[in-house]
Coordinates of all heavy atoms in Angstrom, one line a residue:
M1306 N 21.4 -50.0 168.7 CA 20.3 -49.1 169.0 C 19.1 -49.9 169.4 O 18.7 -50.8 168.7 CB 20.1 -48.1 167.9 CG 19.0 -47.1 168.3 SD 18.8 -45.8 167.1 CE 20.2 -44.8 167.5
S1307 N 18.4 -49.5 170.4 CA 17.2 -50.2 170.8 C 16.0 -49.9 169.9 O 15.9 -48.8 169.3 CB 16.9 -49.8 172.3 OG 15.6 -50.2 172.6
I1308 N 15.1 -50.8 169.8 CA 13.9 -50.6 169.0 C 13.1 -49.5 169.6 O 12.4 -48.7 168.9 CB 13.0 -51.9 169.0 CG1 13.8 -53.0 168.3 CG2 11.7 -51.6 168.3 CD1 13.2 -54.3 168.3
L1309 N 13.1 -49.3 171.0 CA 12.3 -48.3 171.6 C 13.0 -47.0 171.8 O 12.5 -46.1 172.4 CB 11.9 -48.8 173.0 CG 11.0 -50.0 173.1 CD1 10.9 -50.4 174.6 CD2 9.7 -49.7 172.5
S1310 N 14.2 -46.8 171.1 CA 15.0 -45.6 171.3 C 14.2 -44.3 171.0 O 14.4 -43.3 171.6 CB 16.3 -45.6 170.6 OG 16.0 -45.7 169.2
D1311 N 13.4 -44.3 170.0 CA 12.6 -43.1 169.6 C 11.1 -43.3 169.7 O 10.4 -42.6 169.2 CB 13.0 -42.7 168.1 CG 14.4 -42.3 168.0 OD1 14.9 -41.6 168.9 OD2 15.0 -42.6 167.0
S1312 N 10.7 -44.2 170.5 CA 9.3 -44.5 170.6 C 8.6 -43.5 171.5 O 9.2 -42.9 172.4 CB 9.1 -45.9 171.1 OG 9.5 -46.0 172.5
L1313 N 7.3 -43.4 171.4 CA 6.5 -42.5 172.2 C 6.5 -42.9 173.7 O 6.7 -42.0 174.5 CB 5.0 -42.5 171.7 CG 4.1 -41.6 172.4 CD1 4.6 -40.1 172.3 CD2 2.7 -41.7 171.8
P1314 N 6.4 -44.2 174.1 CA 6.5 -44.5 175.5 C 7.8 -44.0 176.2 O 7.8 -43.5 177.3 CB 6.3 -46.0 175.6 CG 5.6 -46.3 174.3 CD 6.1 -45.4 173.3
R1315 N 8.9 -44.2 175.5 CA 10.2 -43.7 176.0 C 10.2 -42.2 176.2 O 10.7 -41.7 177.2 CB 11.3 -44.2 175.2 CG 12.7 -43.9 175.8 CD 13.8 -44.5 174.9 NE 15.0 -44.1 175.4 CZ 16.0 -45.0 175.7 NH1 15.9 -46.2 175.5 NH2 17.2 -44.5 176.2
K1316 N 9.8 -41.5 175.2 CA 9.8 -40.0 175.3 C 8.8 -39.6 176.4 O 9.1 -38.6 177.1 CB 9.4 -39.4 173.9 CG 10.5 -39.6 172.9 CD 10.1 -38.9 171.6 CE 11.2 -39.1 170.6 NZ 10.9 -38.6 169.3
T1317 N 7.7 -40.2 176.5 CA 6.7 -39.9 177.5 C 7.3 -40.1 178.9 O 7.1 -39.3 179.8 CB 5.4 -40.7 177.4 OG1 4.9 -40.5 176.1 CG2 4.4 -40.3 178.4
T1318 N 8.0 -41.2 179.1 CA 8.7 -41.5 180.3 C 9.7 -40.4 180.7 O 9.7 -39.9 181.8 CB 9.4 -42.8 180.3 OG1 8.4 -43.8 180.0 CG2 10.1 -43.2 181.6
W1319 N 10.5 -39.9 179.7 CA 11.5 -38.9 180.0 C 10.8 -37.6 180.3 O 11.2 -36.8 181.2 CB 12.4 -38.7 178.8 CG 13.5 -39.6 178.8 CD1 13.7 -40.7 178.0 CD2 14.6 -39.6 179.8 NE1 14.9 -41.4 178.4 CE2 15.4 -40.7 179.5 CE3 15.0 -38.8 180.8 CZ2 16.6 -41.0 180.2 CZ3 16.1 -39.0 181.5 CH2 16.9 -40.1 181.2
V1320 N 9.7 -37.2 179.6 CA 9.0 -36.0 179.9 C 8.4 -36.0 181.3 O 8.6 -35.1 182.1 CB 7.9 -35.7 178.9 CG1 7.0 -34.6 179.3 CG2 8.5 -35.4 177.5
L1321 N 7.8 -37.2 181.7 CA 7.3 -37.3 183.1 C 8.4 -37.2 184.1 O 8.2 -36.6 185.2 CB 6.6 -38.6 183.2 CG 5.2 -38.7 182.5 CD1 4.6 -40.1 182.6 CD2 4.3 -37.7 183.1
F1322 N 9.6 -37.8 183.8 CA 10.7 -37.8 184.7 C 11.2 -36.3 184.9 O 11.4 -35.9 186.1 CB 11.8 -38.6 184.2 CG 13.1 -38.6 184.9 CD1 13.2 -39.0 186.2 CD2 14.3 -38.0 184.3 CE1 14.4 -38.9 186.9 CE2 15.5 -38.0 185.0 CZ 15.5 -38.4 186.3
I1323 N 11.4 -35.6 183.9 CA 11.9 -34.2 184.0 C 10.8 -33.3 184.6 O 11.2 -32.5 185.5 CB 12.3 -33.7 182.6 CG1 13.5 -34.5 182.1 CG2 12.5 -32.2 182.6 CD1 13.9 -34.3 180.6
V1324 N 9.6 -33.4 184.2 CA 8.5 -32.6 184.8 C 8.4 -32.8 186.3 O 8.3 -31.9 187.1 CB 7.2 -32.8 184.1 CG1 6.0 -32.2 184.8 CG2 7.3 -32.2 182.7
S1325 N 8.4 -34.1 186.7 CA 8.3 -34.4 188.1 C 9.5 -33.9 188.9 O 9.4 -33.4 190.0 CB 8.0 -35.9 188.4 OG 9.1 -36.7 187.9
A1326 N 10.7 -34.1 188.4 CA 11.9 -33.6 189.1 C 11.9 -32.1 189.2 O 12.1 -31.6 190.3 CB 13.2 -34.1 188.3
V1327 N 11.6 -31.4 188.2 CA 11.5 -29.9 188.3 C 10.4 -29.5 189.2 O 10.5 -28.5 190.0 CB 11.4 -29.3 186.8 CG1 11.1 -27.8 186.9 CG2 12.7 -29.6 186.0
G1328 N 9.2 -30.1 189.1 CA 8.1 -29.8 189.9 C 8.4 -29.9 191.4 O 8.1 -29.1 192.2
I1329 N 9.0 -31.0 191.7 CA 9.4 -31.3 193.1 C 10.4 -30.2 193.6 O 10.2 -29.7 194.7 CB 9.9 -32.7 193.3 CG1 8.8 -33.7 193.1 CG2 10.5 -32.9 194.7 CD1 9.2 -35.2 193.0
A1330 N 11.4 -30.0 192.8 CA 12.4 -29.0 193.2 C 11.8 -27.6 193.4 O 12.1 -26.9 194.4 CB 13.5 -28.9 192.1
L1331 N 10.9 -27.2 192.5 CA 10.3 -25.9 192.6 C 9.3 -25.8 193.7 O 9.0 -24.7 194.2 CB 9.6 -25.5 191.2 CG 10.6 -25.3 190.1 CD1 9.8 -24.9 188.8 CD2 11.6 -24.2 190.4
Y1332 N 8.7 -26.9 194.1 CA 7.8 -26.9 195.2 C 8.5 -26.9 196.5 O 8.1 -26.2 197.5 CB 6.9 -28.1 195.1 CG 6.0 -28.3 196.3 CD1 4.8 -27.5 196.5 CD2 6.3 -29.2 197.3 CE1 4.0 -27.7 197.6 CE2 5.5 -29.4 198.4 CZ 4.4 -28.7 198.6 OH 3.6 -28.8 199.6
S1333 N 9.6 -27.6 196.6 CA 10.2 -27.8 197.9 C 11.3 -26.7 198.3 O 11.4 -26.4 199.5 CB 10.9 -29.2 198.0 OG 11.9 -29.3 197.0
A1334 N 12.0 -26.2 197.3 CA 13.1 -25.3 197.7 C 12.7 -23.9 198.1 O 13.3 -23.4 199.1 CB 14.1 -25.2 196.5
P1335 N 11.8 -23.2 197.5 CA 11.5 -21.8 197.8 C 11.3 -21.5 199.3 O 11.8 -20.5 199.8 CB 10.3 -21.4 197.0 CG 10.4 -22.3 195.8 CD 10.9 -23.6 196.3
P1336 N 10.6 -22.3 200.1 CA 10.4 -21.9 201.5 C 11.7 -21.9 202.3 O 11.8 -21.1 203.2 CB 9.5 -23.0 202.0 CG 8.8 -23.5 200.8 CD 9.7 -23.4 199.7
Y1337 N 12.6 -22.7 201.9 CA 13.9 -22.7 202.6 C 14.9 -21.7 202.1 O 15.9 -21.5 202.7 CB 14.4 -24.2 202.6 CG 13.4 -25.1 203.2 CD1 12.7 -26.0 202.3 CD2 13.1 -25.1 204.5 CE1 11.7 -26.8 202.9 CE2 12.1 -25.9 205.0 CZ 11.4 -26.7 204.2 OH 10.4 -27.5 204.8
L1338 N 14.7 -21.2 200.9 CA 15.6 -20.1 200.4 C 15.4 -18.8 201.2 O 16.3 -18.0 201.3 CB 15.3 -19.9 198.9 CG 15.8 -21.0 198.0 CD1 15.3 -20.7 196.6 CD2 17.3 -21.1 198.0
T1339 N 14.2 -18.6 201.7 CA 13.9 -17.4 202.5 C 14.3 -17.5 203.9 O 14.4 -16.4 204.6 CB 12.3 -17.1 202.5 OG1 11.7 -18.2 203.2 CG2 11.8 -17.0 201.1
L1340 N 14.6 -18.7 204.4 CA 15.0 -18.9 205.8 C 13.9 -18.4 206.8 O 14.2 -17.9 207.9 CB 16.3 -18.3 206.1 CG 17.5 -19.0 205.4 CD1 18.8 -18.3 205.7 CD2 17.6 -20.5 205.7
D1341 N 12.7 -18.4 206.4 CA 11.5 -18.0 207.2 C 10.8 -19.2 207.8 O 10.3 -20.0 207.1 CB 10.6 -17.1 206.4 CG 9.4 -16.6 207.2 OD1 9.4 -16.7 208.4 OD2 8.5 -15.9 206.6
R1342 N 10.8 -19.3 209.1 CA 10.2 -20.5 209.8 C 8.7 -20.7 209.4 O 8.2 -21.8 209.4 CB 10.3 -20.4 211.3 CG 11.7 -20.5 211.8 CD 11.7 -20.4 213.3 NE 13.0 -20.8 213.8 CZ 13.3 -22.1 214.1 NH1 12.5 -23.1 213.9 NH2 14.5 -22.4 214.5
A1343 N 8.0 -19.6 209.2 CA 6.6 -19.7 208.8 C 6.3 -20.4 207.5 O 5.3 -20.9 207.3 CB 6.0 -18.3 208.8
W1344 N 7.3 -20.4 206.6 CA 7.1 -21.0 205.3 C 7.5 -22.5 205.3 O 7.3 -23.1 204.3 CB 7.9 -20.3 204.3 CG 7.3 -19.0 203.8 CD1 6.7 -18.0 204.6 CD2 7.3 -18.5 202.5 NE1 6.3 -17.0 203.8 CE2 6.7 -17.2 202.5 CE3 7.7 -19.0 201.3 CZ2 6.5 -16.5 201.4 CZ3 7.5 -18.3 200.1 CH2 6.9 -17.0 200.2
S1345 N 8.1 -22.9 206.3 CA 8.6 -24.3 206.4 C 7.5 -25.3 206.2 O 6.4 -25.2 206.7 CB 9.3 -24.6 207.7 OG 9.7 -25.9 207.8
K1346 N 7.7 -26.3 205.4 CA 6.7 -27.4 205.1 C 6.8 -28.5 206.1 O 6.0 -29.4 206.0 CB 7.0 -27.9 203.7 CG 6.7 -26.9 202.6 CD 6.8 -27.5 201.2 CE 6.6 -26.4 200.2 NZ 5.5 -25.6 200.2
I1347 N 7.8 -28.5 207.0 CA 7.9 -29.5 208.0 C 7.9 -28.8 209.4 O 8.3 -27.7 209.5 CB 9.1 -30.4 207.8 CG1 10.4 -29.5 208.0 CG2 9.1 -31.1 206.5 CD1 11.6 -30.4 208.1
P1348 N 7.4 -29.5 210.4 CA 7.5 -28.9 211.8 C 9.0 -28.7 212.2 O 9.7 -29.7 212.1 CB 6.8 -29.9 212.6 CG 6.6 -31.1 211.9 CD 6.8 -30.8 210.4
L1349 N 9.3 -27.6 212.6 CA 10.7 -27.3 213.1 C 10.7 -27.3 214.6 O 9.8 -26.8 215.2 CB 11.2 -26.0 212.5 CG 11.3 -25.9 211.0 CD1 11.6 -24.5 210.6 CD2 12.3 -26.8 210.5
N1350 N 11.8 -27.8 215.1 CA 11.9 -27.8 216.6 C 12.5 -26.5 217.0 O 13.6 -26.1 216.7 CB 12.9 -29.0 216.9 CG 13.0 -29.2 218.4 OD1 12.6 -28.4 219.2 ND2 13.4 -30.4 218.8
S1351 N 11.7 -25.8 217.8 CA 12.1 -24.4 218.2 C 13.2 -24.5 219.3 O 13.8 -23.4 219.6 CB 10.9 -23.7 218.7 OG 10.3 -24.3 219.8
A1352 N 13.4 -25.6 219.9 CA 14.5 -25.7 220.8 C 15.9 -25.6 220.2 O 16.9 -25.3 220.8 CB 14.4 -27.1 221.6
Y1353 N 16.0 -25.9 218.9 CA 17.2 -25.8 218.2 C 17.2 -24.6 217.2 O 16.4 -24.6 216.3 CB 17.5 -27.1 217.4 CG 17.6 -28.3 218.2 CD1 16.5 -29.2 218.3 CD2 18.7 -28.5 219.0 CE1 16.6 -30.3 219.0 CE2 18.7 -29.7 219.8 CZ 17.7 -30.5 219.8 OH 17.7 -31.6 220.6
L1354 N 17.9 -23.6 217.5 CA 17.9 -22.4 216.7 C 18.4 -22.6 215.3 O 18.0 -22.0 214.4 CB 18.8 -21.3 217.4 CG 18.4 -20.8 218.8 CD1 19.4 -19.8 219.3 CD2 17.0 -20.2 218.6
S1355 N 19.3 -23.6 215.1 CA 19.9 -23.8 213.8 C 19.1 -24.8 213.0 O 19.5 -25.2 211.9 CB 21.3 -24.2 213.9 OG 21.4 -25.4 214.6
H1356 N 18.0 -25.3 213.5 CA 17.2 -26.4 212.8 C 16.8 -26.0 211.4 O 17.0 -26.7 210.4 CB 16.0 -26.8 213.6 CG 15.3 -28.0 213.1 ND1 14.0 -28.2 213.3 CD2 15.8 -29.1 212.5 CE1 13.7 -29.4 212.8 NE2 14.8 -30.0 212.3
L1357 N 16.3 -24.8 211.2 CA 15.9 -24.3 209.9 C 17.2 -24.2 209.0 O 17.1 -24.5 207.8 CB 15.2 -22.9 210.0 CG 14.8 -22.3 208.6 CD1 13.8 -23.2 207.9 CD2 14.2 -20.9 208.8
L1358 N 18.3 -23.7 209.5 CA 19.5 -23.6 208.7 C 19.9 -25.0 208.2 O 20.3 -25.1 207.1 CB 20.6 -23.0 209.6 CG 22.0 -22.8 208.9 CD1 21.8 -21.9 207.7 CD2 23.0 -22.3 209.8
W1359 N 19.9 -26.0 209.1 CA 20.3 -27.3 208.7 C 19.3 -28.0 207.7 O 19.8 -28.6 206.8 CB 20.5 -28.2 209.9 CG 21.7 -27.9 210.7 CD1 21.8 -27.4 211.9 CD2 23.1 -28.0 210.2 NE1 23.1 -27.1 212.3 CE2 23.9 -27.5 211.2 CE3 23.7 -28.5 209.0 CZ2 25.3 -27.5 211.1 CZ3 25.1 -28.4 208.9 CH2 25.9 -28.0 210.0
V1360 N 18.1 -27.7 207.9 CA 17.1 -28.2 206.9 C 17.3 -27.5 205.6 O 17.2 -28.2 204.5 CB 15.6 -28.0 207.4 CG1 14.6 -28.2 206.4 CG2 15.4 -28.9 208.7
S1361 N 17.6 -26.2 205.6 CA 17.8 -25.5 204.3 C 19.1 -26.0 203.7 O 19.2 -26.1 202.5 CB 17.9 -24.0 204.6 OG 16.7 -23.5 205.1
A1362 N 20.1 -26.2 204.5 CA 21.4 -26.7 204.0 C 21.3 -28.1 203.3 O 22.1 -28.5 202.5 CB 22.5 -26.8 205.1
H1363 N 20.3 -28.8 203.7 CA 20.0 -30.1 203.1 C 19.0 -30.0 201.9 O 19.3 -30.7 200.9 CB 19.4 -31.1 204.2 CG 19.0 -32.4 203.6 ND1 19.9 -33.4 203.3 CD2 17.8 -32.8 203.3 CE1 19.2 -34.4 202.8 NE2 17.9 -34.1 202.8
G1364 N 18.0 -29.2 202.1 CA 17.0 -29.2 201.1 C 17.3 -28.4 199.8 O 16.9 -28.8 198.7
V1365 N 18.0 -27.3 199.9 CA 18.3 -26.5 198.8 C 19.3 -27.2 197.8 O 19.0 -27.3 196.6 CB 18.9 -25.1 199.2 CG1 19.4 -24.3 198.0 CG2 17.8 -24.3 199.9
P1366 N 20.4 -27.8 198.3 CA 21.2 -28.6 197.4 C 20.5 -29.8 196.8 O 20.7 -30.2 195.6 CB 22.4 -29.1 198.2 CG 22.5 -28.1 199.3 CD 21.1 -27.7 199.6
G1367 N 19.5 -30.4 197.6 CA 18.7 -31.5 197.0 C 17.9 -31.0 195.9 O 17.7 -31.7 194.9
A1368 N 17.3 -29.8 196.0 CA 16.5 -29.3 194.9 C 17.4 -29.0 193.7 O 16.9 -29.2 192.5 CB 15.8 -28.0 195.4
V1369 N 18.6 -28.5 193.9 CA 19.5 -28.2 192.8 C 19.8 -29.5 192.1 O 19.9 -29.6 190.9 CB 20.7 -27.5 193.3 CG1 21.8 -27.4 192.2 CG2 20.4 -26.1 193.8
A1370 N 20.0 -30.6 192.9 CA 20.3 -31.9 192.3 C 19.2 -32.4 191.4 O 19.4 -33.0 190.4 CB 20.7 -32.9 193.4
L1371 N 17.9 -32.2 191.9 CA 16.8 -32.6 191.1 C 16.7 -31.8 189.8 O 16.3 -32.3 188.8 CB 15.5 -32.3 191.9 CG 15.2 -33.4 192.9 CD1 14.0 -33.0 193.9 CD2 14.8 -34.7 192.3
L1372 N 17.1 -30.5 189.9 CA 17.0 -29.7 188.7 C 18.0 -30.0 187.6 O 17.8 -30.0 186.4 CB 17.1 -28.2 189.0 CG 15.9 -27.6 189.7 CD1 16.3 -26.2 190.2 CD2 14.7 -27.5 188.8
I1373 N 19.2 -30.4 188.1 CA 20.3 -30.7 187.1 C 20.5 -32.1 186.8 O 21.1 -32.5 185.9 CB 21.7 -30.0 187.5 CG1 22.2 -30.7 188.8 CG2 21.6 -28.5 187.7 CD1 23.6 -30.2 189.2
G1374 N 19.8 -33.0 187.6 CA 20.0 -34.4 187.5 C 19.6 -35.0 186.1 O 20.4 -35.8 185.6
P1375 N 18.5 -34.6 185.5 CA 18.2 -35.1 184.2 C 19.2 -34.9 183.1 O 19.3 -35.7 182.1 CB 16.9 -34.4 183.8 CG 16.2 -34.1 185.1 CD 17.4 -33.8 186.0
F1376 N 20.0 -33.8 183.2 CA 21.0 -33.5 182.2 C 22.1 -34.6 182.1 O 22.8 -34.7 181.1 CB 21.7 -32.2 182.5 CG 20.7 -31.0 182.2 CD1 20.1 -30.4 183.3 CD2 20.3 -30.7 181.0 CE1 19.2 -29.3 183.1 CE2 19.4 -29.6 180.7 CZ 18.9 -29.0 181.8
Q1377 N 22.3 -35.4 183.2 CA 23.4 -36.4 183.1 C 23.1 -37.5 182.2 O 24.0 -38.2 181.7 CB 23.7 -36.9 184.5 CG 22.6 -37.8 185.1 CD 22.8 -38.3 186.5 OE1 24.0 -38.6 186.8 NE2 21.8 -38.3 187.3
F1378 N 21.8 -37.6 181.8 CA 21.4 -38.7 180.9 C 21.3 -38.2 179.4 O 21.1 -39.0 178.5 CB 20.0 -39.2 181.3 CG 20.1 -39.8 182.6 CD1 19.4 -39.2 183.7 CD2 20.7 -41.0 182.9 CE1 19.4 -39.7 185.0 CE2 20.8 -41.5 184.2 CZ 20.1 -40.9 185.2
L1379 N 21.6 -36.9 179.1 CA 21.6 -36.5 177.8 C 22.9 -36.8 177.1 O 24.0 -36.6 177.7 CB 21.3 -34.9 177.7 CG 19.9 -34.5 178.2 CD1 19.9 -33.0 178.3 CD2 18.8 -35.1 177.4
A1380 N 22.9 -37.3 175.9 CA 24.1 -37.7 175.2 C 25.1 -36.6 175.0 O 26.3 -36.8 175.1 CB 23.7 -38.3 173.8
G1381 N 24.7 -35.4 174.8 CA 25.6 -34.3 174.6 C 26.4 -34.0 175.8 O 27.5 -33.5 175.7
F1382 N 25.9 -34.2 177.0 CA 26.6 -33.9 178.2 C 27.5 -35.1 178.7 O 28.4 -34.9 179.5 CB 25.6 -33.6 179.4 CG 25.0 -32.2 179.2 CD1 23.6 -32.1 178.8 CD2 25.7 -31.1 179.4 CE1 23.0 -30.9 178.7 CE2 25.1 -29.8 179.2 CZ 23.8 -29.8 178.9
T1383 N 27.2 -36.3 178.2 CA 27.9 -37.4 178.7 C 29.0 -37.9 177.7 O 29.7 -38.8 178.0 CB 27.0 -38.6 179.0 OG1 26.3 -38.9 177.8 CG2 26.0 -38.2 180.1
R1384 N 29.1 -37.3 176.5 CA 30.1 -37.8 175.5 C 31.5 -37.5 176.1 O 31.7 -36.5 176.8 CB 29.9 -37.0 174.2 CG 29.3 -37.9 173.2 CD 29.2 -37.2 171.9 NE 27.8 -36.9 171.7 CZ 27.3 -35.8 171.2 NH1 28.1 -34.8 170.9 NH2 26.0 -35.6 171.1
S1385 N 32.4 -38.3 175.7 CA 33.8 -38.1 176.1 C 34.4 -36.9 175.5 O 34.2 -36.6 174.3 CB 34.6 -39.3 175.8 OG 36.0 -39.1 176.1
R1386 N 35.1 -36.1 176.2 CA 35.7 -34.8 175.7 C 37.2 -35.0 175.4 O 38.0 -34.1 175.6 CB 35.5 -33.7 176.7 CG 34.1 -33.5 177.1 CD 33.4 -32.7 176.1 NE 32.0 -32.3 176.5 CZ 31.0 -32.3 175.8 NH1 31.1 -32.6 174.5 NH2 29.8 -32.0 176.2
S1387 N 37.6 -36.2 175.0 CA 39.1 -36.4 174.8 C 39.6 -36.0 173.5 O 39.0 -35.6 172.6 CB 39.4 -37.9 175.0 OG 38.6 -38.7 174.1

């Protein structure tokens, strides 16, 4: 076991990691869940009708990955189930 396993800097780092991941996901995903061009945070090319759909198909799973990503590092989720 590491000396820093329960130290304040390590816990602070995890809290910052989780808060930033959740914050980015909650900031970026909602405009693309509505499929409304007016809410888009990036300029969309109006020549391509499916541009918003493709951006949403990329952004929403990315936000989900950010939300569930920190759980892969928790010991309870990574223990062998044999």
Side-chain angles (χ1 to χ4, degrees):
M1306 182 175 282
S1307 169
I1308 295 172
L1309 296 175
S1310 64
D1311 293 324
S1312 70
L1313 183 60
R1315 185 176 175 129
K1316 288 181 182 179
T1317 303
T1318 301
W1319 274 108
V1320 168
L1321 288 174
F1322 173 65
I1323 292 170
V1324 167
S1325 63
V1327 170
I1329 291 169
L1331 293 177
Y1332 172 77
S1333 62
Y1337 302 108
L1338 291 171
T1339 63
L1340 295 177
D1341 184 4
R1342 289 182 170 273
W1344 282 42
S1345 177
K1346 295 187 184 309
I1347 63 169
L1349 297 173
N1350 189 341
S1351 59
Y1353 300 105
L1354 296 176
S1355 63
H1356 192 209
L1357 179 63
L1358 178 63
W1359 287 112
V1360 170
S1361 298
H1363 174 78
V1365 172
V1369 171
L1371 280 169
L1372 288 172
I1373 65 174
F1376 291 105
Q1377 69 182 325
F1378 299 109
L1379 296 175
F1382 287 108
T1383 58
R1384 256 185 252 138
S1385 176
R1386 304 280 186 219
S1387 53

